[in-house]
Amino acid sequence: MTEKKTKAKMRITGSEAVIRSLMHENVDTIFGFPGGAIMPVYDALYDFRDKFNHVLVRHEQGAIHAAQGYARVTGKVGTVIVTSGPGATNLTTGLADAMIDSTPLVCISGQVSAALLGSDAFQETDVVGITMPITKWNIQVNAPEEIPDAIAKAYYIASSGRPGPVLIDIAKNAQFGELDYEYTRCNFIRSYRPEPPLEPSAIDAAANIINQAKKPFALIGQGILLGSAEKELQAFLEKADIPAAWTLLGLSALPTSHPLNMGMLGMHGNYAPNIKTNECDVLIAIGMRFDDRVTSDLKKYARQAKMIHLEIDPAEVNKNVKADVAVLGNVKDTLPLLTKKIKSAKHAEWIGEFRECSKVEFEKVIKHAVHPEKKGLTMGEVINLLTEKTNGEAILVTDVGQHQMMGARYFKFNQSRSIVTSGGLGTMGFGIPAALGAKIGRPDRTVIGIVGDGGFQMTMQELGTVYQTGAAVKIVLLNNNYLGMVRQWQELFFDKRYSFTELTNPDFMKLAEGFRIEATKVTERSELNASINKMLEHNGPFLLEVVVEKEGNVFPMVPTGAAVSEMILENKS
């Protein structure tokens, strides 16, 4: 039930107990912003500042997005500390984002003293009530002796099973009060079952269906990355020669160059996997939740196929798509058992059908996106050149919009945990702080943050954090002076009525200069190659602004309400 305890009890304050508890959880990095209700904890942190890398952000939303980036690339739990009231409420977007994208976080917020709760005291907010729907677990701590146990449970819950964000709201009196401190790491909670029990009969049933399949197709989700099951996935796919495609958050779970990797699923995914979804005879979903951006119209989604769903969270099974067989459990455990049961097979003709679809997409879309003949620079060619120069070894962090889809389509991945993006919530402003957190988490890897001019301006104050930390983030700003994805929809589905989507932008070069960050602006194709080289060779953070065509679109595209097999490759108007 427990791991080791501290050797002897110490009489310390609750605020020191917070810091010592984080040390027992092997926390090395804290993203935070101090304030009145959390000041005792920050005062305690002063005496332990050599034990942590504390990143002072410019806004609490920046703190939680940075912690998300850190968690996604390291596999560790991201840690955030903020004050009460607006400090805590500024976390809510990030909490919702982390909840839907299964990102492990522990957020600690200060709160007014317990005696003042319910009195509308200065900066009092019911943060537990506000965040209950968007956290995996939350708790308010009103006494100092409750602190160690709350923190131990928080890290266990955040990181076990299907990961997610946890919030601990600590009253100020609990921070000032004293306790006899001892710490016990948590690995069991009686009412909490992070992983469902494995059913051998489900493995047998799934294997039987796969062994009879003529056209099997695997869908790879983020569950592979969260379960560290990349090798198990490859062994499974290769034994039965099963073509596979990844979701947006499943990117990098399988190398881009792997012969069984057919690309990305979804609204702006690749043509072949979307078309073949409605032609396969067995669909094997692995660690994914059948998001509407993957399935589009459920009434037209893979009706011909038998469904096998490998999933750790029982709530996701049969929620959107009914499974013929559900294999519950961590894919790290279930995939090897399934691999043992399936027969070796070859599906060359079926895989060849994917290849033919890919040729169609290359001729109609990819060729023009990455090697355009027109004068204006395109997002696709910028991203294609970036991935060529980083040899598929960089971590890609994106904001949300057209550039996000272009990055997912044209960036190449050789290593796992190489994509950080806001998938389920689609949070504009995510990119800069998440890239910062990713670089702090993996300083050994090149981190490229791709942002649009809209999302960039939502959290551009975090350039101050980038400068202060010195984190060598390479930020590529693809500037089309529009809220590009909204404008694309207005063009295609609202008769080109561009209602409030055109942006009058600041001088981004002067902005970078103000934050003392090296920067270059590219307006011509002839400048692009040298400018990317300059950015990648620079020893420190860098902002590269590339002015791209104003009305470029992301294709292919599955229109709203259409079947995935009704993907359009180009604008017909």
Side-chain angles (χ1 to χ4, degrees):
M1 176 179 175
T2 60
E3 294 186 16
K4 59 182 180 180
K5 293 186 177 182
T6 50
K7 291 182 178 179
K9 293 181 180 180
M10 299 180 290
R11 191 70 180 173
I12 61 174
T13 64
S15 56
E16 184 176 338
V18 171
I19 303 305
R20 288 189 177 275
S21 297
L22 297 183
M23 291 171 59
H24 280 112
E25 292 294 338
N26 299 317
V27 173
D28 54 27
T29 302
I30 299 169
F31 301 91
F33 199 97
I38 199 67
M39 208 173 294
V41 169
Y42 267 90
D43 184 67
L45 180 59
Y46 186 85
D47 293 327
F48 295 88
R49 58 192 184 279
D50 61 329
K51 303 293 185 182
F52 301 94
N53 174 25
H54 180 277
V55 180
L56 177 62
V57 296
R58 300 304 184 262
H59 190 282
E60 291 87 354
Q61 184 179 352
I64 194 164
H65 290 331
Q68 288 176 269
Y70 171 91
R72 294 268 283 272
V73 301
T74 64
K76 300 177 183 178
V77 178
T79 301
V80 179
I81 300 179
V82 300
T83 193
S84 65
T89 59
N90 283 342
L91 294 181
T92 55
T93 296
L95 288 170
D97 196 292
M99 185 68 175
I100 200 167
D101 283 353
S102 304
T103 305
L105 301 177
V106 170
C107 299
I108 297 172
S109 59
Q111 183 56 275
V112 301
S113 292
L116 295 175
L117 289 171
S119 69
D120 292 332
F122 178 66
Q123 293 193 332
E124 179 196 356
T125 304
D126 180 10
V127 65
V128 171
I130 291 170
T131 62
M132 189 174 293
I134 53 173
T135 52
K136 190 176 177 184
W137 181 65
N138 67 9
I139 188 172
Q140 188 170 82
V141 174
N142 294 324
E145 57 269 17
E146 299 171 358
I147 289 173
D149 186 55
I151 291 178
K153 286 181 178 178
Y155 278 90
Y156 173 57
I157 292 171
S159 60
S160 58
R162 181 180 180 177
V166 169
L167 182 133
I168 310 173
D169 195 43
I170 307 180
K172 202 168 185 180
N173 63 288
Q175 300 172 46
F176 276 125
E178 293 187 346
L179 71 154
D180 292 322
Y181 177 78
E182 63 177 348
Y183 195 79
T184 304
R185 294 191 71 179
C186 180
N187 59 19
F188 174 79
I189 299 172
R190 187 174 60 182
S191 60
Y192 171 58
R193 295 290 181 270
E195 296 185 13
L198 179 66
E199 297 182 9
S201 61
I203 297 288
D204 292 337
N208 184 54
I209 291 173
I210 293 170
N211 288 336
Q212 297 179 53
K214 303 299 182 185
K215 295 182 175 184
F217 184 29
L219 314 182
I220 306 167
Q222 189 187 196
I224 293 294
L225 298 167
L226 297 175
S228 300
E230 295 89 344
K231 291 181 180 179
E232 290 79 2
L233 172 69
Q234 286 198 42
F236 168 74
L237 296 176
E238 289 168 0
K239 183 175 182 179
D241 200 30
I242 299 174
W246 47 29
T247 66
L248 178 63
L249 294 183
L251 290 168
S252 80
L254 187 70
T256 304
S257 59
H258 194 285
L260 292 174
N261 190 341
M262 301 302 161
M264 186 173 75
L265 300 158
M267 179 176 285
H268 290 291
N270 292 106
Y271 186 57
N274 280 284
I275 294 294
K276 295 303 170 184
T277 292
N278 278 4
E279 296 179 15
C280 66
D281 58 4
V282 175
L283 201 63
I284 309 159
I286 308 173
M288 54 86 73
R289 58 187 181 84
F290 289 109
D291 176 78
D292 64 289
R293 288 299 172 103
V294 166
T295 65
S296 195
D297 186 352
L298 286 168
K299 294 178 181 178
K300 303 175 184 177
Y301 183 76
R303 306 298 291 180
Q304 80 294 337
K306 290 187 176 180
M307 293 283 180
I308 298 172
H309 196 174
L310 283 74
E311 175 60 47
I312 198 169
D313 185 356
E316 293 296 345
V317 176
N318 297 324
K319 185 175 78 174
N320 295 325
V321 174
K322 182 173 174 52
D324 292 281
V325 177
V327 180
L328 295 176
N330 191 324
V331 291
K332 181 80 171 177
D333 303 319
T334 58
L335 270 175
L337 295 174
L338 187 55
T339 302
K340 287 180 182 179
K341 296 279 186 177
I342 61 174
K343 298 176 182 177
S344 296
K346 291 294 180 184
H347 296 104
E349 185 176 342
W350 170 232
I351 291 171
E353 294 181 27
F354 282 84
R355 303 293 184 209
E356 290 303 312
C357 287
S358 296
K359 290 178 183 177
V360 172
E361 182 181 358
F362 180 82
E363 289 299 321
K364 287 192 170 287
V365 180
I366 298 173
K367 180 170 68 175
H368 307 294
V370 300
H371 301 296
E373 298 174 356
K374 48 191 165 185
K375 181 180 178 182
L377 284 161
T378 67
M379 293 184 182
E381 67 178 307
V382 176
I383 292 164
N384 185 62
L385 190 55
L386 280 168
T387 197
E388 284 181 0
K389 289 185 175 294
T390 54
N391 298 313
E393 300 294 336
I395 292 173
L396 172 68
V397 183
T398 83
D399 209 274
V400 171
Q402 288 181 313
H403 64 277
Q404 176 190 32
M405 294 297 100
M406 287 294 196
R409 285 180 54 78
Y410 297 119
F411 215 78
K412 305 293 189 295
F413 304 98
N414 294 331
Q415 298 186 47
S416 65
R417 291 193 177 272
S418 293
I419 177 73
V420 181
T421 192
S422 174
L425 197 64
T427 303
M428 291 180 67
F430 179 86
I432 296 175
L436 166 68
K439 185 61 181 178
I440 289 171
R442 290 300 306 269
D444 56 313
R445 295 187 64 186
T446 299
V447 174
I448 297 178
I450 298 179
V451 299
D453 46 315
F456 177 85
Q457 292 178 77
M458 289 188 173
T459 52
M460 62 186 178
Q461 74 277 355
E462 297 307 329
L463 291 178
T465 315
V466 171
Y467 170 67
Q468 184 167 346
T469 60
V473 180
K474 312 303 181 184
I475 301 169
V476 180
L477 168 59
L478 299 178
N479 183 3
N480 59 8
N481 291 103
Y482 267 113
L483 300 175
M485 188 61 85
V486 183
R487 185 216 56 78
Q488 176 170 336
W489 279 63
Q490 289 174 335
E491 176 186 339
L492 299 178
F493 308 114
F494 292 88
D495 299 321
K496 296 187 177 182
R497 289 160 59 88
Y498 296 159
S499 180
F500 302 101
T501 47
E502 188 167 11
L503 295 170
T504 301
N505 287 322
D507 186 329
F508 293 114
M509 293 298 99
K510 289 183 178 178
L511 185 69
E513 181 182 359
F515 283 107
R516 303 184 188 120
I517 291 175
E518 190 77 18
T520 294
K521 182 174 182 177
V522 173
T523 59
E524 301 292 336
R525 184 168 286 111
S526 59
E527 305 166 336
L528 183 61
N529 187 73
S531 296
I532 290 178
N533 287 338
K534 180 182 178 181
M535 176 186 72
L536 294 174
E537 292 166 4
H538 179 68
N539 184 26
F542 197 100
L543 173 64
L544 176 63
E545 178 188 358
V546 183
V547 179
V548 295
E549 56 181 349
K550 291 192 70 172
E551 296 183 90
N553 289 331
V554 186
F555 286 108
M557 180 179 184
V558 179
T560 299
V564 290
S565 55
E566 296 170 340
M567 195 170 216
I568 57 175
L569 293 168
E570 56 193 347
N571 189 357
K572 300 297 184 181
S573 63

